[in-house]
Amino acid sequence: MGGNHRDAWVYGAVDPNSGTASMLEAVHGVGELLKAGWKPKRSIIFGSWDAEEEGLIGSTEWGEQHAAQLANAVAYLNMDVAVSGPKFVASSVPSLKQFLRDVARAVPGAKGGTVYDAWQKSSRPEPDNAQTPTEAIGDSRRSPQAQVNQDVPVGDLGSGSDYTVFLQHVGVPSTDVSSTGPYGVYHSVFDNFNWFKNFGDPDFKYEQQMARVFGLQAIRMANADVLPYDYQQYGREILAYLDAAKKKADGAFGSQSPDFKPAADSARKFEQAGAKVLALQRKQSSDLARLNHALRNAESALLLPDGLPNRPWFRHAIYAPGQYTGYAAVVIPGVNEAIDKHDLQLAKQQIDALAAALERATRVLNGAH
Ligand SMILES: [Zn+2]
């Protein structure tokens, strides 16, 4: 399913109306396909959320109410600000990062080439790509904490938009896309049509681009014979998170530092199970229903039965909004926040909980064959 919010602090030409216009155009495109006789293999639901700015209220209520059906949802595709400038950025769970790059390769860029070409160019670390302070609003949540390959960076999902309930409470694999730029009018009365027309996207080319990126994600997810998740990549990123957390713990606890080996072993097993499933996904010759079932449920298996310490509503073992970091994500949050609190017992307990989640997800993936 896909979604975007429709409430704004004031006029909200960029946040959220650039996203709403873009999502509605994607819906329009899907409607044209249906009229032409196309039938998606899976149902597509588009959500227009209210009260996002007041605390993600609309999407949260809907997600909680439909949690049982969402256990079968193959993806939640979010778009909040579709366009505040020309720089394409994306965030997702690691299993969908390559999917997003593939979609970007298939969509024409607003200035020629493909979205992927422009994305590659703008993410190169050149001096003229230096971030301006105003750009940081859109980009602060877009730098991945582990960059395990050389491709364009896809960020981690923290919070500040409507994917939160889907990923962090219900465990639906999620993505979030945007085209960003210097956007000093964020959440102010000046985020209006005049600003958008003069500075944001004067000829609405990026609006079209983002409608295509959003719509193509929905179409591909709905029609994939084999779900396009990459769990080997997921495992690699978790291994990198564990490495970083171990270093931090060694600094915080010295010789008392907890043993990370059980969790690292579980992450390695998860990565290996991901690699095996990837081979099956490429062959497409096995029992597809069983394969897709395992692929989808591996993400939910990463939910913690008791949730995170002090905030049990947040159940994902790998991603949460930071308690003190605003929009940015905290990775393996139970472990990292216990270390930050200097609570050794809690850190040990959360390492065990993480290892157990990874073992569960590995078993699910191994059920594919
Ligand atoms: Zn918004």
mmCIF file of all heavy atoms in Angstrom, residues 5 7 15-16 52-53 80-81 160-161 186-187, ligand 1:
data_model
loop_
_atom_site.group_PDB
_atom_site.id
_atom_site.type_symbol
_atom_site.label_atom_id
_atom_site.label_comp_id
_atom_site.label_asym_id
_atom_site.label_seq_id
_atom_site.Cartn_x
_atom_site.Cartn_y
_atom_site.Cartn_z
ATOM 1 N N HIS A 5 0.325 12.218 3.641
ATOM 2 C CA HIS A 5 -0.612 12.958 4.498
ATOM 3 C C HIS A 5 -1.165 14.190 3.802
ATOM 4 O O HIS A 5 -0.572 14.682 2.844
ATOM 5 C CB HIS A 5 0.011 13.294 5.854
ATOM 6 C CG HIS A 5 1.054 14.386 5.880
ATOM 7 N ND1 HIS A 5 0.734 15.704 6.143
ATOM 8 C CD2 HIS A 5 2.399 14.355 5.744
ATOM 9 C CE1 HIS A 5 1.858 16.424 6.171
ATOM 10 N NE2 HIS A 5 2.885 15.635 5.930
ATOM 11 N N ASP A 7 -2.815 16.855 5.772
ATOM 12 C CA ASP A 7 -2.889 18.031 6.650
ATOM 13 C C ASP A 7 -1.579 18.804 6.581
ATOM 14 O O ASP A 7 -0.520 18.232 6.336
ATOM 15 C CB ASP A 7 -3.149 17.595 8.089
ATOM 16 C CG ASP A 7 -2.020 16.739 8.639
ATOM 17 O OD1 ASP A 7 -1.712 15.694 8.018
ATOM 18 O OD2 ASP A 7 -1.403 17.118 9.653
ATOM 19 N N ASP A 15 4.866 20.726 1.880
ATOM 20 C CA ASP A 15 4.603 19.723 2.921
ATOM 21 C C ASP A 15 3.174 19.843 3.402
ATOM 22 O O ASP A 15 2.872 20.709 4.226
ATOM 23 C CB ASP A 15 5.589 19.936 4.080
ATOM 24 C CG ASP A 15 5.393 18.949 5.209
ATOM 25 O OD1 ASP A 15 4.638 17.972 5.036
ATOM 26 O OD2 ASP A 15 6.005 19.153 6.270
ATOM 27 N N PRO A 16 2.278 19.025 2.920
ATOM 28 C CA PRO A 16 2.436 17.800 2.146
ATOM 29 C C PRO A 16 1.909 17.891 0.719
ATOM 30 O O PRO A 16 1.902 16.881 0.020
ATOM 31 C CB PRO A 16 1.497 16.858 2.886
ATOM 32 C CG PRO A 16 0.294 17.750 3.137
ATOM 33 C CD PRO A 16 0.877 19.131 3.411
ATOM 34 N N GLU A 52 -1.101 14.202 10.429
ATOM 35 C CA GLU A 52 0.290 13.741 10.482
ATOM 36 C C GLU A 52 1.120 14.691 11.322
ATOM 37 O O GLU A 52 1.896 14.272 12.174
ATOM 38 C CB GLU A 52 0.857 13.646 9.054
ATOM 39 C CG GLU A 52 2.216 12.965 8.967
ATOM 40 C CD GLU A 52 3.400 13.932 8.965
ATOM 41 O OE1 GLU A 52 3.218 15.151 9.148
ATOM 42 O OE2 GLU A 52 4.525 13.472 8.803
ATOM 43 N N GLU A 53 0.934 15.982 11.071
ATOM 44 C CA GLU A 53 1.773 16.987 11.755
ATOM 45 C C GLU A 53 1.536 16.986 13.264
ATOM 46 O O GLU A 53 2.381 17.418 14.035
ATOM 47 C CB GLU A 53 1.508 18.392 11.185
ATOM 48 C CG GLU A 53 1.765 18.540 9.686
ATOM 49 C CD GLU A 53 3.238 18.459 9.298
ATOM 50 O OE1 GLU A 53 4.084 18.141 10.157
ATOM 51 O OE2 GLU A 53 3.538 18.714 8.112
ATOM 52 N N ASP A 80 5.971 11.888 1.615
ATOM 53 C CA ASP A 80 5.504 13.019 2.420
ATOM 54 C C ASP A 80 5.705 14.258 1.569
ATOM 55 O O ASP A 80 4.877 14.582 0.729
ATOM 56 C CB ASP A 80 6.302 13.030 3.731
ATOM 57 C CG ASP A 80 5.799 14.048 4.732
ATOM 58 O OD1 ASP A 80 5.324 15.112 4.302
ATOM 59 O OD2 ASP A 80 5.884 13.791 5.950
ATOM 60 N N VAL A 81 6.841 14.943 1.727
ATOM 61 C CA VAL A 81 7.211 16.003 0.786
ATOM 62 C C VAL A 81 7.667 15.317 -0.497
ATOM 63 O O VAL A 81 8.674 14.631 -0.499
ATOM 64 C CB VAL A 81 8.373 16.836 1.371
ATOM 65 C CG1 VAL A 81 8.974 17.731 0.300
ATOM 66 C CG2 VAL A 81 7.889 17.659 2.556
ATOM 67 N N GLY A 160 9.004 10.847 11.822
ATOM 68 C CA GLY A 160 8.676 12.143 11.263
ATOM 69 C C GLY A 160 7.773 12.008 10.066
ATOM 70 O O GLY A 160 7.419 12.995 9.436
ATOM 71 N N SER A 161 7.349 10.796 9.741
ATOM 72 C CA SER A 161 6.340 10.640 8.692
ATOM 73 C C SER A 161 5.561 9.343 8.889
ATOM 74 O O SER A 161 5.849 8.561 9.793
ATOM 75 C CB SER A 161 6.957 10.724 7.303
ATOM 76 O OG SER A 161 5.928 10.985 6.349
ATOM 77 N N TYR A 186 10.078 25.630 5.390
ATOM 78 C CA TYR A 186 9.506 24.416 6.030
ATOM 79 C C TYR A 186 8.603 24.760 7.208
ATOM 80 O O TYR A 186 8.995 25.519 8.107
ATOM 81 C CB TYR A 186 10.677 23.555 6.488
ATOM 82 C CG TYR A 186 10.336 22.228 7.139
ATOM 83 C CD1 TYR A 186 9.532 21.293 6.508
ATOM 84 C CD2 TYR A 186 10.881 21.910 8.383
ATOM 85 C CE1 TYR A 186 9.267 20.068 7.102
ATOM 86 C CE2 TYR A 186 10.621 20.675 8.984
ATOM 87 C CZ TYR A 186 9.810 19.770 8.339
ATOM 88 O OH TYR A 186 9.557 18.550 8.922
ATOM 89 N N HIS A 187 7.388 24.215 7.193
ATOM 90 C CA HIS A 187 6.431 24.361 8.300
ATOM 91 C C HIS A 187 6.068 25.809 8.614
ATOM 92 O O HIS A 187 5.628 26.112 9.734
ATOM 93 C CB HIS A 187 6.956 23.669 9.577
ATOM 94 C CG HIS A 187 6.794 22.176 9.534
ATOM 95 N ND1 HIS A 187 7.243 21.350 10.528
ATOM 96 C CD2 HIS A 187 6.220 21.365 8.610
ATOM 97 C CE1 HIS A 187 6.967 20.087 10.229
ATOM 98 N NE2 HIS A 187 6.347 20.072 9.054
HETATM 99 ZN ZN ZN B 1 4.838 16.258 5.892
#
